[in-house]
Amino acid sequence: MNSDDQFYRKWYLTRYRGKKKYILKTGTLHGAVFFAVLTLFASFIDYGSITAEYFTSGAVINYAIFFAVIAPVYGWSAARSSWFRNEQRFDDLEKIRDVKDH
């Protein structure tokens, strides 16, 4: 079984479960990772490394609040984009399957 067949089967099941569930699950994952990375990256900007002072300062709260607003927007956008790309690939694979069947 090649990667296209694996993708087709996996995406068929994902589509069956629904777009809302996919976007919520994938968006949450992308947003959480984005939030964590930005929060840690802010430590490097302020202190040059990840330090205990950063996590005990008020700056971490300010950054966390700011990134908590941005991260869900990024997560939702990334999930919608991923859904769209996967749908295009799935449709292309279905067209290829239809040509092979006839």
Side-chain angles (χ1 to χ4, degrees), residues 23-81:
I23 289 178
L24 182 63
K25 182 179 174 183
T26 305
T28 301
L29 179 64
H30 283 279
V33 169
F34 187 69
F35 173 81
V37 168
L38 285 180
T39 303
L40 291 175
F41 184 68
S43 174
F44 283 105
I45 292 172
D46 282 349
Y47 294 94
S49 66
I50 299 174
T51 62
E53 290 84 20
Y54 170 70
F55 288 104
T56 58
S57 71
V60 71
I61 300 298
N62 292 334
Y63 284 125
I65 291 169
F66 180 70
F67 297 144
V69 172
I70 293 174
V73 173
Y74 171 78
W76 178 80
S77 298
R80 293 240 337 150
S81 177

Short mmCIF file of all heavy atoms in Angstrom, two decimals, residues 23-81:
data_model
loop_
_atom_site.label_atom_id
_atom_site.label_comp_id
_atom_site.label_asym_id
_atom_site.label_seq_id
_atom_site.Cartn_x
_atom_site.Cartn_y
_atom_site.Cartn_z
N ILE A 23 -11.48 20.33 12.62
CA ILE A 23 -10.95 21.69 12.83
C ILE A 23 -10.77 21.97 14.31
O ILE A 23 -9.77 22.57 14.71
CB ILE A 23 -11.85 22.73 12.14
CG1 ILE A 23 -11.67 22.59 10.62
CG2 ILE A 23 -11.53 24.14 12.60
CD1 ILE A 23 -12.51 23.52 9.80
N LEU A 24 -11.70 21.52 15.14
CA LEU A 24 -11.56 21.73 16.58
C LEU A 24 -10.33 21.00 17.13
O LEU A 24 -9.51 21.59 17.85
CB LEU A 24 -12.82 21.28 17.31
CG LEU A 24 -12.82 21.49 18.82
CD1 LEU A 24 -12.72 22.97 19.14
CD2 LEU A 24 -14.09 20.91 19.42
N LYS A 25 -10.19 19.73 16.77
CA LYS A 25 -9.07 18.93 17.28
C LYS A 25 -7.74 19.43 16.73
O LYS A 25 -6.80 19.69 17.50
CB LYS A 25 -9.28 17.47 16.86
CG LYS A 25 -8.24 16.52 17.35
CD LYS A 25 -8.57 15.10 16.90
CE LYS A 25 -7.48 14.13 17.26
NZ LYS A 25 -7.78 12.78 16.76
N THR A 26 -7.64 19.62 15.43
CA THR A 26 -6.39 20.05 14.81
C THR A 26 -6.08 21.50 15.19
O THR A 26 -4.92 21.83 15.46
CB THR A 26 -6.48 19.91 13.28
OG1 THR A 26 -6.85 18.57 12.96
CG2 THR A 26 -5.17 20.25 12.61
N GLY A 27 -7.08 22.35 15.22
CA GLY A 27 -6.88 23.75 15.58
C GLY A 27 -6.40 23.90 17.01
O GLY A 27 -5.53 24.73 17.31
N THR A 28 -6.95 23.09 17.91
CA THR A 28 -6.51 23.13 19.30
C THR A 28 -5.06 22.70 19.42
O THR A 28 -4.27 23.34 20.13
CB THR A 28 -7.41 22.23 20.17
OG1 THR A 28 -8.76 22.68 20.05
CG2 THR A 28 -6.98 22.25 21.62
N LEU A 29 -4.70 21.65 18.72
CA LEU A 29 -3.31 21.17 18.75
C LEU A 29 -2.35 22.22 18.19
O LEU A 29 -1.35 22.56 18.82
CB LEU A 29 -3.18 19.86 17.99
CG LEU A 29 -1.78 19.27 17.92
CD1 LEU A 29 -1.29 18.89 19.31
CD2 LEU A 29 -1.76 18.07 17.01
N HIS A 30 -2.67 22.75 17.02
CA HIS A 30 -1.81 23.77 16.40
C HIS A 30 -1.71 25.01 17.28
O HIS A 30 -0.63 25.58 17.45
CB HIS A 30 -2.33 24.16 15.02
CG HIS A 30 -2.03 23.18 13.94
ND1 HIS A 30 -0.82 23.12 13.31
CD2 HIS A 30 -2.78 22.21 13.40
CE1 HIS A 30 -0.84 22.17 12.41
NE2 HIS A 30 -2.04 21.59 12.45
N GLY A 31 -2.85 25.45 17.81
CA GLY A 31 -2.87 26.64 18.67
C GLY A 31 -2.06 26.45 19.94
O GLY A 31 -1.34 27.35 20.37
N ALA A 32 -2.17 25.27 20.55
CA ALA A 32 -1.43 25.00 21.80
C ALA A 32 0.07 24.99 21.55
O ALA A 32 0.84 25.56 22.34
CB ALA A 32 -1.89 23.68 22.41
N VAL A 33 0.48 24.35 20.48
CA VAL A 33 1.91 24.31 20.16
C VAL A 33 2.41 25.72 19.84
O VAL A 33 3.48 26.13 20.31
CB VAL A 33 2.19 23.34 18.99
CG1 VAL A 33 3.61 23.49 18.47
CG2 VAL A 33 1.91 21.91 19.41
N PHE A 34 1.64 26.47 19.06
CA PHE A 34 2.00 27.84 18.71
C PHE A 34 2.12 28.69 19.97
O PHE A 34 3.08 29.46 20.13
CB PHE A 34 0.94 28.40 17.77
CG PHE A 34 1.25 29.74 17.19
CD1 PHE A 34 2.27 29.89 16.26
CD2 PHE A 34 0.52 30.86 17.55
CE1 PHE A 34 2.54 31.13 15.70
CE2 PHE A 34 0.79 32.10 17.00
CZ PHE A 34 1.81 32.23 16.07
N PHE A 35 1.18 28.56 20.90
CA PHE A 35 1.20 29.30 22.16
C PHE A 35 2.46 28.97 22.96
O PHE A 35 3.16 29.86 23.44
CB PHE A 35 -0.06 28.96 22.97
CG PHE A 35 -0.05 29.55 24.35
CD1 PHE A 35 -0.40 30.87 24.55
CD2 PHE A 35 0.30 28.79 25.45
CE1 PHE A 35 -0.40 31.43 25.82
CE2 PHE A 35 0.30 29.33 26.72
CZ PHE A 35 -0.05 30.65 26.91
N ALA A 36 2.76 27.68 23.10
CA ALA A 36 3.93 27.26 23.88
C ALA A 36 5.23 27.76 23.26
O ALA A 36 6.11 28.27 23.96
CB ALA A 36 3.96 25.74 24.01
N VAL A 37 5.35 27.64 21.95
CA VAL A 37 6.57 28.07 21.27
C VAL A 37 6.75 29.58 21.42
O VAL A 37 7.86 30.05 21.71
CB VAL A 37 6.55 27.64 19.79
CG1 VAL A 37 7.65 28.32 18.99
CG2 VAL A 37 6.67 26.12 19.68
N LEU A 38 5.69 30.34 21.20
CA LEU A 38 5.81 31.81 21.32
C LEU A 38 6.14 32.24 22.75
O LEU A 38 6.94 33.15 22.96
CB LEU A 38 4.53 32.49 20.86
CG LEU A 38 4.30 32.53 19.36
CD1 LEU A 38 3.00 33.25 19.05
CD2 LEU A 38 5.44 33.21 18.63
N THR A 39 5.53 31.59 23.71
CA THR A 39 5.79 31.95 25.11
C THR A 39 7.24 31.66 25.47
O THR A 39 7.90 32.47 26.14
CB THR A 39 4.83 31.20 26.05
OG1 THR A 39 3.48 31.52 25.66
CG2 THR A 39 5.02 31.61 27.48
N LEU A 40 7.77 30.53 25.02
CA LEU A 40 9.18 30.22 25.29
C LEU A 40 10.11 31.13 24.49
O LEU A 40 11.15 31.56 24.99
CB LEU A 40 9.48 28.75 24.98
CG LEU A 40 8.83 27.74 25.92
CD1 LEU A 40 9.10 26.33 25.43
CD2 LEU A 40 9.31 27.92 27.33
N PHE A 41 9.73 31.44 23.25
CA PHE A 41 10.55 32.33 22.43
C PHE A 41 10.64 33.72 23.04
O PHE A 41 11.68 34.38 22.96
CB PHE A 41 9.98 32.39 21.01
CG PHE A 41 10.80 33.20 20.06
CD1 PHE A 41 12.05 32.77 19.67
CD2 PHE A 41 10.32 34.40 19.56
CE1 PHE A 41 12.82 33.52 18.79
CE2 PHE A 41 11.07 35.15 18.69
CZ PHE A 41 12.32 34.71 18.29
N ALA A 42 9.57 34.16 23.67
CA ALA A 42 9.58 35.47 24.33
C ALA A 42 10.61 35.51 25.44
O ALA A 42 11.21 36.56 25.72
CB ALA A 42 8.19 35.80 24.87
N SER A 43 10.85 34.38 26.08
CA SER A 43 11.88 34.30 27.11
C SER A 43 13.26 34.58 26.52
O SER A 43 14.08 35.27 27.12
CB SER A 43 11.87 32.92 27.77
OG SER A 43 12.94 32.78 28.67
N PHE A 44 13.52 34.04 25.35
CA PHE A 44 14.80 34.30 24.69
C PHE A 44 14.95 35.76 24.32
O PHE A 44 16.04 36.32 24.41
CB PHE A 44 14.96 33.43 23.44
CG PHE A 44 15.31 32.02 23.74
CD1 PHE A 44 14.37 31.02 23.64
CD2 PHE A 44 16.60 31.68 24.13
CE1 PHE A 44 14.69 29.71 23.91
CE2 PHE A 44 16.93 30.36 24.41
CZ PHE A 44 15.97 29.38 24.31
N ILE A 45 13.87 36.38 23.92
CA ILE A 45 13.93 37.80 23.56
C ILE A 45 14.22 38.66 24.78
O ILE A 45 15.06 39.56 24.74
CB ILE A 45 12.61 38.24 22.88
CG1 ILE A 45 12.48 37.55 21.53
CG2 ILE A 45 12.56 39.75 22.73
CD1 ILE A 45 11.15 37.77 20.86
N ASP A 46 13.55 38.38 25.89
CA ASP A 46 13.72 39.20 27.09
C ASP A 46 14.98 38.88 27.89
O ASP A 46 15.64 39.78 28.41
CB ASP A 46 12.50 39.05 28.01
CG ASP A 46 11.32 39.86 27.54
OD1 ASP A 46 11.49 40.69 26.63
OD2 ASP A 46 10.22 39.65 28.08
N TYR A 47 15.31 37.59 28.02
CA TYR A 47 16.38 37.19 28.93
C TYR A 47 17.55 36.49 28.25
O TYR A 47 18.54 36.18 28.90
CB TYR A 47 15.83 36.28 30.04
CG TYR A 47 14.87 37.01 30.94
CD1 TYR A 47 13.50 36.98 30.71
CD2 TYR A 47 15.33 37.75 32.03
CE1 TYR A 47 12.62 37.66 31.53
CE2 TYR A 47 14.46 38.43 32.85
CZ TYR A 47 13.11 38.38 32.60
OH TYR A 47 12.23 39.05 33.40
N GLY A 48 17.45 36.20 26.98
CA GLY A 48 18.54 35.53 26.28
C GLY A 48 18.53 34.02 26.45
O GLY A 48 19.29 33.31 25.80
N SER A 49 17.68 33.51 27.31
CA SER A 49 17.54 32.07 27.51
C SER A 49 16.27 31.82 28.31
O SER A 49 15.61 32.76 28.75
CB SER A 49 18.74 31.48 28.25
OG SER A 49 18.80 32.00 29.56
N ILE A 50 15.96 30.56 28.51
CA ILE A 50 14.80 30.23 29.34
C ILE A 50 15.27 30.22 30.78
O ILE A 50 16.10 29.40 31.17
CB ILE A 50 14.22 28.86 28.95
CG1 ILE A 50 13.75 28.89 27.50
CG2 ILE A 50 13.08 28.48 29.87
CD1 ILE A 50 13.29 27.56 26.97
N THR A 51 14.74 31.16 31.57
CA THR A 51 15.18 31.29 32.96
C THR A 51 13.99 31.27 33.90
O THR A 51 12.85 31.52 33.51
CB THR A 51 15.93 32.62 33.16
OG1 THR A 51 15.02 33.69 32.90
CG2 THR A 51 17.14 32.75 32.26
N ALA A 52 14.28 30.98 35.14
CA ALA A 52 13.23 30.99 36.17
C ALA A 52 12.72 32.40 36.39
O ALA A 52 11.53 32.59 36.69
CB ALA A 52 13.78 30.41 37.47
N GLU A 53 13.58 33.40 36.21
CA GLU A 53 13.16 34.79 36.38
C GLU A 53 12.05 35.15 35.40
O GLU A 53 11.14 35.91 35.72
CB GLU A 53 14.34 35.76 36.19
CG GLU A 53 15.37 35.71 37.30
CD GLU A 53 16.40 34.59 37.07
OE1 GLU A 53 16.55 34.12 35.92
OE2 GLU A 53 17.01 34.17 38.06
N TYR A 54 12.16 34.66 34.20
CA TYR A 54 11.13 34.95 33.19
C TYR A 54 9.78 34.40 33.64
O TYR A 54 8.76 35.09 33.56
CB TYR A 54 11.53 34.35 31.84
CG TYR A 54 10.42 34.38 30.82
CD1 TYR A 54 9.99 35.58 30.26
CD2 TYR A 54 9.80 33.21 30.41
CE1 TYR A 54 8.98 35.61 29.33
CE2 TYR A 54 8.78 33.24 29.47
CZ TYR A 54 8.38 34.44 28.93
OH TYR A 54 7.38 34.47 28.01
N PHE A 55 9.78 33.14 34.11
CA PHE A 55 8.51 32.51 34.48
C PHE A 55 7.92 33.07 35.78
O PHE A 55 6.74 32.88 36.05
CB PHE A 55 8.68 31.00 34.56
CG PHE A 55 8.83 30.37 33.21
CD1 PHE A 55 10.06 29.95 32.77
CD2 PHE A 55 7.74 30.25 32.37
CE1 PHE A 55 10.20 29.39 31.51
CE2 PHE A 55 7.87 29.69 31.11
CZ PHE A 55 9.11 29.26 30.68
N THR A 56 8.72 33.75 36.58
CA THR A 56 8.21 34.36 37.80
C THR A 56 7.95 35.85 37.63
O THR A 56 7.48 36.51 38.55
CB THR A 56 9.19 34.14 38.97
OG1 THR A 56 10.46 34.69 38.63
CG2 THR A 56 9.31 32.67 39.29
N SER A 57 8.25 36.40 36.46
CA SER A 57 8.05 37.82 36.23
C SER A 57 6.64 38.08 35.71
O SER A 57 5.91 37.17 35.31
CB SER A 57 9.06 38.33 35.20
OG SER A 57 8.76 37.82 33.92
N GLY A 58 6.28 39.32 35.72
CA GLY A 58 4.99 39.72 35.17
C GLY A 58 4.96 39.66 33.66
O GLY A 58 3.89 39.61 33.05
N ALA A 59 6.13 39.63 33.05
CA ALA A 59 6.21 39.59 31.59
C ALA A 59 5.58 38.32 31.03
O ALA A 59 4.93 38.35 29.98
CB ALA A 59 7.66 39.71 31.13
N VAL A 60 5.79 37.21 31.72
CA VAL A 60 5.24 35.95 31.22
C VAL A 60 3.71 36.01 31.18
O VAL A 60 3.09 35.49 30.25
CB VAL A 60 5.74 34.74 32.03
CG1 VAL A 60 5.13 34.69 33.41
CG2 VAL A 60 5.46 33.45 31.29
N ILE A 61 3.09 36.67 32.14
CA ILE A 61 1.63 36.82 32.15
C ILE A 61 1.18 37.69 30.98
O ILE A 61 0.22 37.37 30.29
CB ILE A 61 1.14 37.42 33.49
CG1 ILE A 61 1.53 36.52 34.66
CG2 ILE A 61 -0.36 37.66 33.45
CD1 ILE A 61 0.91 35.14 34.62
N ASN A 62 1.88 38.79 30.75
CA ASN A 62 1.54 39.67 29.64
C ASN A 62 1.66 38.95 28.30
O ASN A 62 0.78 39.06 27.44
CB ASN A 62 2.43 40.92 29.63
CG ASN A 62 2.14 41.83 30.81
OD1 ASN A 62 1.04 41.82 31.35
ND2 ASN A 62 3.14 42.59 31.21
N TYR A 63 2.77 38.23 28.12
CA TYR A 63 2.94 37.47 26.88
C TYR A 63 1.89 36.37 26.76
O TYR A 63 1.33 36.15 25.69
CB TYR A 63 4.34 36.84 26.81
CG TYR A 63 5.43 37.82 26.47
CD1 TYR A 63 6.53 37.96 27.29
CD2 TYR A 63 5.37 38.59 25.32
CE1 TYR A 63 7.54 38.85 26.98
CE2 TYR A 63 6.37 39.49 25.01
CZ TYR A 63 7.46 39.61 25.83
OH TYR A 63 8.46 40.49 25.52
N ALA A 64 1.62 35.69 27.85
CA ALA A 64 0.64 34.60 27.82
C ALA A 64 -0.74 35.11 27.42
O ALA A 64 -1.44 34.48 26.62
CB ALA A 64 0.59 33.89 29.16
N ILE A 65 -1.14 36.24 27.95
CA ILE A 65 -2.44 36.81 27.60
C ILE A 65 -2.46 37.20 26.12
O ILE A 65 -3.42 36.90 25.39
CB ILE A 65 -2.77 38.01 28.50
CG1 ILE A 65 -3.04 37.53 29.92
CG2 ILE A 65 -3.97 38.79 27.96
CD1 ILE A 65 -3.12 38.65 30.95
N PHE A 66 -1.40 37.84 25.67
CA PHE A 66 -1.32 38.25 24.27
C PHE A 66 -1.34 37.04 23.34
O PHE A 66 -2.08 37.01 22.36
CB PHE A 66 -0.04 39.08 24.06
CG PHE A 66 0.14 39.55 22.65
CD1 PHE A 66 -0.68 40.52 22.12
CD2 PHE A 66 1.15 39.02 21.86
CE1 PHE A 66 -0.51 40.96 20.82
CE2 PHE A 66 1.33 39.45 20.57
CZ PHE A 66 0.49 40.43 20.04
N PHE A 67 -0.53 36.04 23.65
CA PHE A 67 -0.46 34.85 22.80
C PHE A 67 -1.72 33.99 22.90
O PHE A 67 -2.06 33.27 21.97
CB PHE A 67 0.78 34.02 23.12
CG PHE A 67 2.07 34.75 22.85
CD1 PHE A 67 3.16 34.55 23.68
CD2 PHE A 67 2.20 35.63 21.80
CE1 PHE A 67 4.36 35.22 23.45
CE2 PHE A 67 3.38 36.31 21.56
CZ PHE A 67 4.47 36.10 22.38
N ALA A 68 -2.41 34.07 24.03
CA ALA A 68 -3.66 33.32 24.19
C ALA A 68 -4.75 33.85 23.25
O ALA A 68 -5.68 33.12 22.90
CB ALA A 68 -4.13 33.39 25.63
N VAL A 69 -4.62 35.09 22.85
CA VAL A 69 -5.56 35.65 21.88
C VAL A 69 -5.15 35.27 20.45
O VAL A 69 -5.99 34.92 19.63
CB VAL A 69 -5.63 37.20 22.02
CG1 VAL A 69 -6.44 37.82 20.90
CG2 VAL A 69 -6.19 37.57 23.38
N ILE A 70 -3.87 35.28 20.18
CA ILE A 70 -3.36 35.00 18.84
C ILE A 70 -3.38 33.51 18.51
O ILE A 70 -3.71 33.12 17.39
CB ILE A 70 -1.93 35.56 18.68
CG1 ILE A 70 -1.97 37.08 18.73
CG2 ILE A 70 -1.30 35.10 17.38
CD1 ILE A 70 -0.62 37.71 18.73
N ALA A 71 -3.06 32.67 19.46
CA ALA A 71 -2.91 31.23 19.22
C ALA A 71 -4.18 30.58 18.68
O ALA A 71 -4.10 29.80 17.73
CB ALA A 71 -2.42 30.53 20.47
N PRO A 72 -5.37 30.84 19.24
CA PRO A 72 -6.56 30.21 18.67
C PRO A 72 -6.85 30.64 17.23
O PRO A 72 -7.30 29.84 16.42
CB PRO A 72 -7.69 30.65 19.59
CG PRO A 72 -7.02 31.01 20.86
CD PRO A 72 -5.68 31.54 20.48
N VAL A 73 -6.56 31.89 16.93
CA VAL A 73 -6.75 32.37 15.55
C VAL A 73 -5.81 31.62 14.61
O VAL A 73 -6.22 31.16 13.54
CB VAL A 73 -6.53 33.90 15.46
CG1 VAL A 73 -6.56 34.37 14.03
CG2 VAL A 73 -7.56 34.63 16.31
N TYR A 74 -4.56 31.49 15.04
CA TYR A 74 -3.60 30.74 14.23
C TYR A 74 -4.03 29.27 14.10
O TYR A 74 -3.99 28.70 13.01
CB TYR A 74 -2.20 30.81 14.84
CG TYR A 74 -1.25 29.87 14.15
CD1 TYR A 74 -0.69 30.19 12.92
CD2 TYR A 74 -0.94 28.63 14.72
CE1 TYR A 74 0.16 29.30 12.28
CE2 TYR A 74 -0.10 27.75 14.08
CZ TYR A 74 0.45 28.09 12.86
OH TYR A 74 1.27 27.21 12.22
N GLY A 75 -4.44 28.66 15.20
CA GLY A 75 -4.85 27.26 15.18
C GLY A 75 -6.03 27.03 14.25
O GLY A 75 -6.04 26.08 13.47
N TRP A 76 -7.02 27.89 14.33
CA TRP A 76 -8.17 27.77 13.45
C TRP A 76 -7.78 27.94 11.99
O TRP A 76 -8.21 27.16 11.13
CB TRP A 76 -9.22 28.82 13.85
CG TRP A 76 -10.42 28.83 12.97
CD1 TRP A 76 -11.48 27.98 13.04
CD2 TRP A 76 -10.69 29.72 11.89
NE1 TRP A 76 -12.40 28.30 12.06
CE2 TRP A 76 -11.94 29.36 11.33
CE3 TRP A 76 -10.00 30.79 11.34
CZ2 TRP A 76 -12.50 30.03 10.26
CZ3 TRP A 76 -10.56 31.46 10.26
CH2 TRP A 76 -11.79 31.08 9.74
N SER A 77 -6.94 28.93 11.71
CA SER A 77 -6.49 29.17 10.33
C SER A 77 -5.69 27.99 9.79
O SER A 77 -5.88 27.57 8.64
CB SER A 77 -5.63 30.44 10.25
OG SER A 77 -6.37 31.55 10.64
N ALA A 78 -4.80 27.46 10.60
CA ALA A 78 -3.99 26.31 10.17
C ALA A 78 -4.86 25.08 9.92
O ALA A 78 -4.65 24.35 8.95
CB ALA A 78 -2.92 26.01 11.22
N ALA A 79 -5.84 24.85 10.78
CA ALA A 79 -6.72 23.69 10.61
C ALA A 79 -7.59 23.83 9.36
O ALA A 79 -7.77 22.87 8.62
CB ALA A 79 -7.59 23.51 11.86
N ARG A 80 -8.13 25.02 9.13
CA ARG A 80 -8.94 25.24 7.92
C ARG A 80 -8.10 25.06 6.67
O ARG A 80 -8.54 24.46 5.70
CB ARG A 80 -9.56 26.63 7.93
CG ARG A 80 -10.58 26.83 8.98
CD ARG A 80 -11.94 27.19 8.56
NE ARG A 80 -12.03 27.81 7.27
CZ ARG A 80 -13.09 27.68 6.51
NH1 ARG A 80 -14.10 26.97 6.92
NH2 ARG A 80 -13.16 28.27 5.33
N SER A 81 -6.89 25.58 6.69
CA SER A 81 -6.00 25.43 5.56
C SER A 81 -5.66 23.96 5.31
O SER A 81 -5.65 23.48 4.17
CB SER A 81 -4.72 26.24 5.80
OG SER A 81 -3.81 26.06 4.76
#
